[in-house]
Amino acid sequence: MTRRFEFWRRRESLSFGHHAEVASLPPTEADAWLDRSEQHRWSRNQLRINLRESRRGKRAVASPERTRLPRVSASGDRMGVWREAASKADREFDEWILSALDRAAAHELGR
């Protein structure tokens, strides 16, 4: 990645992960995404989601309103199974949890 991002293009306020997410893009496009990430204070996951949505033709989310979920206690075995499922789906654990909750809600609401 160092070769893809000349020193002057790197964003000090963004993580290595942010830069890795856009490393395969043309420089102008990568810079634009990094600019948006800085402007909207996106996490690496938010950048990844917005890139994915952009490829699907959907508009990037400017700054999603965030609400903290309640703390949940679960056995280590259960957590292990959930983490394994997230890994198998090639998703970050928190992203996988939100996706699982979205699927459960859609099922319960018949959507």
Side-chain angles (χ1 to χ4, degrees), residues 4 8 35 56 71:
R4 286 202 180 262
W8 59 270
D35 289 343
R56 292 180 184 158
R71 184 174 287 269

Side-chain angles (χ1 to χ4, degrees), residues 3-16:
R3 291 187 195 122
R4 286 202 180 262
F5 284 94
E6 297 85 358
F7 184 76
W8 59 270
R9 289 182 55 219
R10 296 181 195 160
R11 308 304 197 284
E12 193 173 309
S13 64
L14 298 178
S15 70
F16 175 86

Side-chain angles (χ1 to χ4, degrees), residues 4-5 9 11 14 18-37 47 51:
R4 286 202 180 262
F5 284 94
R9 289 182 55 219
R11 308 304 197 284
L14 298 178
H18 284 87
H19 292 86
E21 289 296 327
V22 299
S24 65
L25 300 174
T28 306
E29 190 177 347
D31 288 342
W33 280 105
L34 293 175
D35 289 343
R36 288 182 201 121
S37 293
L47 171 59
L51 280 166

Side-chain angles (χ1 to χ4, degrees), residues 17 20 24 33 44 47 64 77 79-80 84 88-89 91 95 97-98 100 104 109:
S24 65
W33 280 105
R44 184 212 37 131
L47 171 59
D77 291 344
M79 290 289 289
E84 183 180 348
K88 186 174 181 178
R91 300 183 82 169
E95 184 182 327
I97 290 170
L98 294 175
L109 297 172

Side-chain angles (χ1 to χ4, degrees), residues 2 9-10 19 23-24 32 35-36 38 60 67 74 82 84 89-91 93 99 102-103 106 110:
T2 308
R9 289 182 55 219
R10 296 181 195 160
H19 292 86
S24 65
D35 289 343
R36 288 182 201 121
E38 275 188 318
T67 303
W82 295 340
E84 183 180 348
D90 194 29
R91 300 183 82 169
F93 187 55
S99 176
D102 287 342
R103 285 191 310 273

